[in-house]
Amino acid sequence: MFELLQCRKSLMIIFLALKFFFMFISLSEARVHNYTWDITYQYKSQDCYKKLAITINGMTPGPVISATEGDTIIVNVVNKLFMENVAIHWHGIRQIGTPWMDGTDGVSQCATIPGDTFTYQFVVDKAGTHMYHSHYGVQKESGLYWLIKVTVPAGKSDPFKYDDDDHSIVLTDWYHSSSYEEATKLTSVPFVWIGEPQSLLVNGRGKYDCGNLTTNVCDLTNPECVPYSLTVVPGKTYRLRIASLTSLSALSFQIEGHNLTVVEADGQYVEPFVIKKPDSSRNYWMSTNVVGRKPQTPPGLAIFNYNPNHFNKIPPTIPPPGPAWNDTKSRINQSLAIKAHRVFIQSPPSTSDKVILLLNTQNTIQGRTRWSLNNVSHTLPHTPYLIAQRKNWTDVFDQTPPPESYDFQNYDIYNVPGNTNSTSSTSFYRLEFNSTVDVILQNSNTMNVNNSETHPWHLHGHDFWVLGYGDGKFNMSSDVKWYNLVDPIMKNTVPLHPYGWTALRFRADNPGIWLFHCHIEAHFLMGMLVLFESGSEMVGEPPQ
Amino acid sequence: MFELLQCRKSLMIIFLALKFFFMFISLSEARVHNYTWDITYQYKSQDCYKKLAITINGMTPGPVISATEGDTIIVNVVNKLFMENVAIHWHGIRQIGTPWMDGTDGVSQCATIPGDTFTYQFVVDKAGTHMYHSHYGVQKESGLYWLIKVTVPAGKSDPFKYDDDDHSIVLTDWYHSSSYEEATKLTSVPFVWIGEPQSLLVNGRGKYDCGNLTTNVCDLTNPECVPYSLTVVPGKTYRLRIASLTSLSALSFQIEGHNLTVVEADGQYVEPFVIKKPDSSRNYWMSTNVVGRKPQTPPGLAIFNYNPNHFNKIPPTIPPPGPAWNDTKSRINQSLAIKAHRVFIQSPPSTSDKVILLLNTQNTIQGRTRWSLNNVSHTLPHTPYLIAQRKNWTDVFDQTPPPESYDFQNYDIYNVPGNTNSTSSTSFYRLEFNSTVDVILQNSNTMNVNNSETHPWHLHGHDFWVLGYGDGKFNMSSDVKWYNLVDPIMKNTVPLHPYGWTALRFRADNPGIWLFHCHIEAHFLMGMLVLFESGSEMVGEPPQ
């Protein structure tokens, strides 16, 4: 069994131990991949329930972008959403020197209006399993997302072996209400929670309990919701690229009766570690379960099919249960278990130039429920930061940077805050170019008694070293001693566990202004984000 | 009983005959009315069924704009629709010299993106009952609309008397699906018809049959759907401003047991004519019914309450039936009955400089169902025409004007067209500035056997003289003899009856590029529009 956090993605898994690998200098020529994507609304029945989804060339999930490290991707995004704008973020692509292409509305661009086309052009700088998804309002949850698969260039090879082509498994959660309904609830006074998703999908397929709904609303025989089935041959070793693109849920993932070995995360090789499964006899479910929140969404199921059985034959067993949803300790341990592959260690700087301590709290601003960092709930300006900064428009955003710490002597992270008032701001942190920065994420109790949530934090434009995770309140003098400075993995997304802390280090070496935020759609909309500016005066001209 | 077409609006009705009136030159000073409107999505239960609606400062229907002829209206429209743009048209306001303020996406402006504010500023040039509504995609049907009430200036008076303040009655139809669902269906291949609306609303109130729906979805006790009640005092004369803002339905309107006298239409006084009702004893329904299409939507009901009865006491009678839905002859006769008030006649030019004959047909383009004029189905360019024209960007729209006539010798308007292929275009008609133009709208059979629909045509930027209506195919040599050149009313919206024709004349005296289109949302989206350019080189700078 293996647990996946919402954005702990790009895990390549093999069933057999590693043997050896080779590494060559690549002399092959980089290629250009050109796509044109019509973005339209279409009725889809991914979990048998018919609802309006946002599609790419008629499809949700969208197409897989397949390329080799160093290649250039060009995507002409044609907005045909009638009245709705669009922006697409290339999650895991660092956009080195191309901050305009990051696809974040309010930061790198204005969202593209209906009838218009925005051309994204960027280099996929690092092999691995990356993702793309809408980065505009809560549009992602309408289904505008999928994978970017970047292979190693000729002359290089992966530090593990497998027999077959690799396969992708993407996990998503699925709401039946529209993104406008979700956004309306989340911003209403009094606050209305959107609730848990109706379904978990494996490769865009799920099964909703249609109950008494008529078949034109919910139809279990709709071919669009036939469970995904992965056909394999006994005895072979497979590489699976597993990604989670959920809007809310943290997930586990398991294949009944099989051990999985984690070999890569966020485009970096890791020391392989086996995720154990109790032995099972034959025929198999792949399943995914909600963890970190009390599950109210049924598991997502797919079929692990051994050739020559029929690919959609239902396994005779009951799907295995997922891990205990509230076993935070195990999840912290799993987080700690991920280390850089010994041959691919990129050592972090031994010290940092600046430390930013970010306490996340749940708050109220003018009756609206919000999330804050150091008591500041962030909103994006109407004019994208990059443009405002370039044009020196000082009235677009708050010029005073937000606080770099909180009152860690006195703040009680285990209780509901006494005063939930907060302020909103469009300010950002200014980092000296090429400086090394530590960020310590500190979790706390929400406005509900005995509740602290998991937050997957994602940094744009950079990878960071993951120096440590811990329970309780981070202690600046004692916890830093436990930092892993030897073989920390570099990632772009990391979990912050309930009542815990997570420590990161990164070098501010990519000129621009970059988001760092909780990847849960609702939390992002509610202000759980900060921005890092560094060397933005070096950024070139915006695209046409 | 009185029939209202979809956009035959602004009818002031009094119960007693006119006596006399006075007219003075106004010397009063024009005022400026300043509004700020937050446009947001909100859950509303206008017909007891809860759905997401677009609101102005939390309200749908929106606020009434009340002003006096000559006043200036400033509306700061603040878009808070998350991911959706907005544009608002001021229907009935000619925007003389202010074509940038017409609020039509793709013609006068780009729709305003979320987070942005567009400030509309214009003069209400003519007393009467006008309207405002979204003019972007099919956004109007989400509830973004209401009234502009313009009174005569001091020193002038209306040519009729009434005892009380005037009252407004606005009729709308209401779908339970979202505008994105409607637009998706209408543009899908194969075509999916959106069906008839679920409810008719009187002043934003209706009653849907909730059936087995749970009360959190549909609740007949919700105060938002208490029927509208108009309280009156026996024996007094009332002025009612009646407007229809439906997205599909043509409607009748009647008050049980009362005669109504039409005194004004589209901001022009008409020769008063009485709409007869069979006598009724006491206590009264106001009701509205679908006409022109086979009704599948229940009547909209409101209460006509005599003081001192309780205002929401249900009348003891069964609501009166509406007129026969398919009695086209009566509706043509009613159209013909409307003439300019004898004291307010604005004589039309006796001849025209150009005649444009517009045959509307239902067509197919690349599998998509469309509407065409002279076999051209129009689409709006991404860059607004006014900007493209000003900048002399010749690649924004087709430069060759569309055809000014059709093959009227051979075209059979009573049968399904033999060849339904059509072409789409972004071209427009170029009219010599200050020239007089006749437009003859010619109806025909749709792609369904024995079917021709009613189309309410609306001209932006101008009023036109209504010269005539007729059954069957317009005959250029004989029908022009019947033109009313003596006392035609000036309007901005006019019905085209099934299998009939409607003839208009207007002077192209307002520099700009102006829409002329069927006001049914679905038909507009499907290409039932043309554009008239005239003197656009005189148009001033666009607003900031």
Side-chain angles (χ1 to χ4, degrees):
Chain A
M1 185 156 52
F2 172 64
E3 293 180 33
L4 273 189
L5 261 172
Q6 193 211 14
C7 291
R8 181 145 9 110
K9 61 171 180 58
S10 165
L11 295 152
M12 297 183 230
I13 290 162
I14 55 169
F15 302 135
L16 296 176
L18 303 177
K19 294 258 174 69
F20 42 86
F21 67 94
F22 304 95
M23 197 174 164
F24 300 102
I25 303 300
S26 167
L27 295 170
S28 68
E29 207 172 316
R31 288 189 304 158
V32 176
H33 305 261
N34 212 314
Y35 303 89
T36 295
W37 287 358
D38 277 5
I39 312 297
T40 61
Y41 269 108
Q42 304 276 339
Y43 281 101
K44 293 290 172 187
S45 299
Q46 298 197 92
D47 65 348
C48 304
Y49 181 95
K50 185 174 164 187
K51 72 159 270 187
L52 213 54
I54 296 184
T55 66
I56 297 173
N57 296 337
M59 302 187 299
T60 180
V64 174
I65 292 182
S66 292
T68 300
E69 191 179 292
D71 287 357
T72 295
I73 307 293
I74 300 174
V75 186
N76 305 293
V77 173
V78 187
N79 182 353
K80 297 188 173 178
L81 293 181
F82 307 117
M83 300 160 288
E84 183 172 328
N85 308 314
V86 73
I88 298 181
H89 171 55
W90 316 93
H91 185 122
I93 307 302
R94 286 174 290 179
Q95 303 291 357
I96 296 165
T98 52
W100 301 108
M101 296 299 160
D102 197 43
T104 45
D105 172 71
V107 181
S108 65
Q109 67 166 102
C110 292
T112 306
I113 65 175
D116 211 348
T117 298
F118 190 95
T119 299
Y120 293 94
Q121 179 167 348
F122 53 87
V123 172
V124 288
D125 56 289
K126 200 175 66 165
T129 307
H130 308 293
M131 314 188 286
Y132 63 84
H133 59 78
S134 166
H135 213 298
Y136 184 50
V138 291
Q139 188 175 59
K140 189 183 80 169
E141 67 190 45
S142 296
L144 182 52
Y145 44 50
W146 218 238
L147 283 190
I148 305 171
K149 194 171 100 177
V150 182
T151 53
V152 293
K156 284 191 185 177
S157 68
D158 295 306
F160 47 80
K161 290 217 158 171
Y162 52 99
D163 292 313
D164 197 2
D165 270 355
D166 55 85
H167 297 273
S168 302
I169 293 180
V170 184
L171 310 175
T172 49
D173 52 6
W174 197 236
Y175 283 94
H176 290 173
S177 49
S178 74
S179 56
Y180 289 95
E181 294 183 272
E182 315 277 289
T184 301
K185 288 173 186 165
L186 291 169
T187 57
S188 63
V189 179
F191 180 68
V192 178
W193 175 236
I194 54 175
E196 304 295 314
Q198 277 64 55
S199 294
L200 300 182
L201 310 182
V202 179
N203 280 356
R205 307 297 184 92
K207 276 261 186 281
Y208 182 69
D209 176 4
C210 289
N212 293 325
L213 295 169
T214 58
T215 52
N216 65 340
V217 176
C218 195
D219 182 1
L220 292 170
T221 68
N222 191 314
E224 289 179 17
C225 60
V226 170
Y228 169 71
S229 175
L230 172 64
T231 300
V232 295
V233 174
K236 291 203 179 231
T237 300
Y238 290 86
R239 172 179 179 163
L240 304 183
R241 297 173 181 269
I242 303 175
S244 168
L245 273 158
T246 55
S247 60
L248 175 70
S249 315
L251 299 176
S252 68
F253 178 76
Q254 48 271 327
I255 300 178
E256 190 189 8
H258 291 75
N259 289 341
L260 307 177
T261 302
V262 180
V263 295
E264 193 230 271
D266 283 16
Q268 190 177 5
Y269 301 122
V270 302
E271 271 297 286
F273 68 100
V274 175
I275 304 187
K276 288 226 194 300
K277 265 300 293 171
D279 214 45
S280 180
S281 56
R282 24 132 254 124
N283 252 2
Y284 308 100
W285 288 106
M286 293 192 286
S287 62
T288 181
N289 297 71
V290 171
V291 293
R293 308 176 64 85
K294 193 167 180 183
Q296 295 175 40
T297 310
L301 296 174
I303 297 169
F304 195 72
N305 165 245
Y306 274 104
N307 198 21
N309 296 320
H310 194 278
F311 69 92
N312 64 7
K313 192 175 176 207
I314 301 295
T317 46
I318 293 167
W325 71 269
N326 53 359
D327 182 5
T328 304
K329 188 74 191 158
S330 293
R331 293 207 303 284
I332 292 184
N333 286 341
Q334 189 181 289
S335 293
L336 288 167
I338 304 179
K339 299 188 191 313
H341 190 284
R342 66 189 70 174
V343 179
F344 295 90
I345 292 169
Q346 299 177 57
S347 295
S350 55
T351 59
S352 67
D353 302 307
K354 182 196 272 285
V355 177
I356 298 175
L357 194 53
L358 293 177
L359 171 75
N360 71 249
T361 51
Q362 210 181 27
N363 310 89
T364 315
I365 299 179
Q366 293 175 331
R368 263 193 186 86
T369 301
R370 302 282 298 173
W371 287 94
S372 297
L373 286 312
N374 298 345
N375 219 36
V376 175
S377 186
H378 290 259
T379 57
L380 298 175
H382 174 224
T383 304
Y385 282 108
L386 267 185
I387 291 172
Q389 183 75 351
R390 180 173 190 81
K391 304 266 188 186
N392 210 16
W393 290 337
T394 54
D395 59 338
V396 168
F397 56 88
D398 300 343
Q399 297 292 307
T400 311
E404 295 183 3
S405 187
Y406 74 102
D407 179 11
F408 57 85
Q409 300 293 354
N410 298 308
Y411 194 88
D412 178 2
I413 65 163
Y414 293 104
N415 281 299
V416 173
N419 180 356
T420 61
N421 284 333
S422 176
T423 54
S424 73
S425 172
T426 53
S427 59
F428 54 67
Y429 294 96
R430 293 178 186 275
L431 308 178
E432 196 181 332
F433 186 68
N434 260 333
S435 67
T436 300
V437 180
D438 284 2
V439 177
I440 293 127
L441 295 164
Q442 177 64 60
N443 215 335
S444 72
N445 203 99
T446 66
M447 293 199 292
N448 300 316
V449 176
N450 287 331
N451 181 242
S452 181
E453 302 188 2
T454 303
H455 302 285
W457 277 82
H458 172 55
L459 178 60
H460 291 227
H462 308 74
D463 291 338
F464 47 73
W465 290 275
V466 185
L467 301 185
Y469 298 89
D471 262 333
K473 198 189 278 193
F474 178 79
N475 184 313
M476 195 67 83
S477 54
S478 59
D479 284 325
V480 293
K481 296 176 192 161
W482 298 99
Y483 277 176
N484 177 4
L485 298 174
V486 177
D487 57 359
I489 187 173
M490 297 198 80
K491 293 183 99 277
N492 58 56
T493 310
V494 75
L496 175 60
H497 297 289
Y499 298 113
W501 58 264
T502 300
L504 322 172
R505 178 167 293 176
F506 71 99
R507 186 160 273 153
D509 56 1
N510 192 6
I513 301 178
W514 305 98
L515 267 172
F516 181 50
H517 64 99
C518 176
H519 211 270
I520 292 175
E521 287 277 270
H523 294 182
F524 178 67
L525 185 75
M526 294 160 78
M528 203 166 196
L529 60 107
V530 297
L531 289 118
F532 295 127
E533 181 277 338
S534 182
S536 60
E537 69 284 357
M538 293 181 244
V539 170
E541 279 295 311
Q544 200 60 16
Chain B
M1 185 159 50
F2 171 64
E3 293 181 31
L4 274 189
L5 257 175
Q6 193 213 13
C7 292
R8 179 141 16 106
K9 60 169 181 60
S10 168
L11 295 151
M12 297 183 230
I13 291 161
I14 56 169
F15 302 135
L16 297 177
L18 303 176
K19 296 259 171 68
F20 42 85
F21 67 94
F22 303 95
M23 195 172 166
F24 300 103
I25 303 298
S26 166
L27 293 172
S28 68
E29 206 172 314
R31 287 189 304 158
V32 175
H33 306 261
N34 213 314
Y35 303 89
T36 295
W37 287 357
D38 277 4
I39 312 297
T40 61
Y41 268 107
Q42 304 276 339
Y43 280 100
K44 292 290 172 188
S45 298
Q46 298 197 90
D47 65 347
C48 304
Y49 182 95
K50 185 174 164 187
K51 72 158 270 188
L52 214 52
I54 297 183
T55 66
I56 298 173
N57 296 337
M59 302 187 299
T60 178
V64 174
I65 292 181
S66 292
T68 300
E69 190 178 292
D71 286 357
T72 295
I73 307 292
I74 299 174
V75 187
N76 305 294
V77 173
V78 186
N79 182 354
K80 297 187 173 178
L81 294 181
F82 307 117
M83 301 160 287
E84 182 172 328
N85 307 315
V86 72
I88 299 181
H89 171 57
W90 315 92
H91 185 122
I93 307 302
R94 286 173 291 179
Q95 302 291 358
I96 297 165
T98 51
W100 300 107
M101 297 297 161
D102 198 42
T104 46
D105 171 72
V107 181
S108 65
Q109 67 167 103
C110 293
T112 306
I113 66 175
D116 211 347
T117 298
F118 190 96
T119 299
Y120 293 94
Q121 177 166 349
F122 53 86
V123 172
V124 289
D125 56 287
K126 200 174 67 163
T129 307
H130 308 293
M131 313 188 287
Y132 64 84
H133 58 78
S134 167
H135 213 298
Y136 183 49
V138 291
Q139 188 176 59
K140 188 182 80 168
E141 67 190 44
S142 296
L144 182 50
Y145 43 51
W146 218 239
L147 282 190
I148 305 171
K149 195 170 100 174
V150 183
T151 52
V152 293
K156 283 190 186 178
S157 68
D158 296 304
F160 48 80
K161 290 215 157 172
Y162 52 99
D163 292 314
D164 197 1
D165 271 354
D166 54 86
H167 297 273
S168 301
I169 293 180
V170 183
L171 310 175
T172 49
D173 52 7
W174 196 236
Y175 283 95
H176 290 173
S177 50
S178 73
S179 56
Y180 289 96
E181 294 183 273
E182 316 277 288
T184 301
K185 289 174 186 164
L186 291 169
T187 56
S188 64
V189 179
F191 181 68
V192 178
W193 175 235
I194 53 174
E196 304 295 314
Q198 276 66 54
S199 294
L200 300 182
L201 310 182
V202 179
N203 280 356
R205 307 294 185 94
K207 276 261 186 282
Y208 182 68
D209 176 4
C210 289
N212 292 325
L213 295 170
T214 57
T215 52
N216 66 339
V217 176
C218 195
D219 181 2
L220 292 170
T221 67
N222 190 316
E224 288 179 17
C225 60
V226 170
Y228 170 72
S229 174
L230 172 63
T231 300
V232 296
V233 174
K236 291 204 179 232
T237 300
Y238 290 86
R239 172 179 178 164
L240 304 183
R241 297 172 181 269
I242 303 175
S244 168
L245 272 157
T246 56
S247 60
L248 175 71
S249 315
L251 300 176
S252 69
F253 177 76
Q254 48 271 328
I255 300 177
E256 190 188 7
H258 293 75
N259 289 341
L260 306 176
T261 302
V262 180
V263 294
E264 193 228 91
D266 282 16
Q268 191 177 5
Y269 300 122
V270 302
E271 271 297 285
F273 67 100
V274 175
I275 305 189
K276 288 226 194 297
K277 265 300 295 170
D279 215 43
S280 180
S281 56
R282 29 137 246 119
N283 252 2
Y284 308 99
W285 288 105
M286 295 192 285
S287 63
T288 180
N289 298 71
V290 170
V291 295
R293 308 176 64 84
K294 192 167 182 185
Q296 295 176 39
T297 309
L301 296 175
I303 298 169
F304 196 73
N305 164 246
Y306 274 105
N307 197 19
N309 295 321
H310 193 277
F311 69 91
N312 64 7
K313 192 174 176 208
I314 301 295
T317 47
I318 292 168
W325 71 269
N326 53 0
D327 182 5
T328 305
K329 189 74 192 157
S330 294
R331 293 206 305 282
I332 292 184
N333 285 341
Q334 188 181 292
S335 293
L336 288 166
I338 303 177
K339 298 188 192 311
H341 190 285
R342 67 190 68 174
V343 179
F344 294 90
I345 293 168
Q346 298 178 57
S347 296
S350 56
T351 60
S352 66
D353 302 307
K354 182 197 271 288
V355 178
I356 298 174
L357 194 54
L358 293 177
L359 171 75
N360 71 250
T361 52
Q362 211 181 26
N363 309 89
T364 313
I365 299 180
Q366 293 175 330
R368 263 192 186 85
T369 300
R370 302 282 299 173
W371 287 93
S372 297
L373 287 310
N374 298 345
N375 218 37
V376 175
S377 186
H378 290 260
T379 57
L380 298 176
H382 173 225
T383 304
Y385 283 108
L386 267 184
I387 290 173
Q389 183 76 351
R390 178 170 192 84
K391 304 269 188 185
N392 210 16
W393 291 336
T394 54
D395 59 339
V396 167
F397 56 87
D398 301 343
Q399 297 291 307
T400 311
E404 294 183 3
S405 188
Y406 73 103
D407 178 13
F408 57 85
Q409 300 292 354
N410 298 308
Y411 194 88
D412 178 2
I413 65 162
Y414 293 105
N415 281 300
V416 173
N419 180 356
T420 60
N421 284 334
S422 175
T423 53
S424 73
S425 172
T426 52
S427 60
F428 54 68
Y429 294 96
R430 293 178 186 275
L431 308 177
E432 196 180 334
F433 187 67
N434 261 332
S435 67
T436 301
V437 180
D438 283 1
V439 177
I440 294 126
L441 295 164
Q442 176 65 58
N443 215 334
S444 72
N445 202 99
T446 66
M447 292 198 293
N448 300 315
V449 176
N450 286 331
N451 180 242
S452 181
E453 302 188 2
T454 304
H455 302 285
W457 278 82
H458 172 55
L459 179 60
H460 290 227
H462 307 75
D463 290 338
F464 48 72
W465 291 275
V466 185
L467 301 185
Y469 298 88
D471 263 331
K473 199 189 277 194
F474 178 79
N475 183 314
M476 196 68 83
S477 54
S478 60
D479 284 325
V480 294
K481 296 177 192 159
W482 300 98
Y483 277 176
N484 176 4
L485 299 174
V486 178
D487 57 1
I489 186 173
M490 297 197 81
K491 293 183 99 277
N492 59 55
T493 310
V494 74
L496 175 61
H497 296 289
Y499 298 114
W501 58 264
T502 300
L504 323 171
R505 179 166 294 176
F506 71 99
R507 187 160 274 154
D509 56 1
N510 192 6
I513 301 177
W514 304 98
L515 266 172
F516 180 50
H517 64 98
C518 176
H519 211 270
I520 291 175
E521 287 275 271
H523 293 182
F524 177 68
L525 185 74
M526 294 160 75
M528 204 169 195
L529 60 107
V530 297
L531 289 119
F532 295 127
E533 180 279 338
S534 182
S536 59
E537 69 283 358
M538 292 181 245
V539 170
E541 279 296 312
Q544 199 61 13

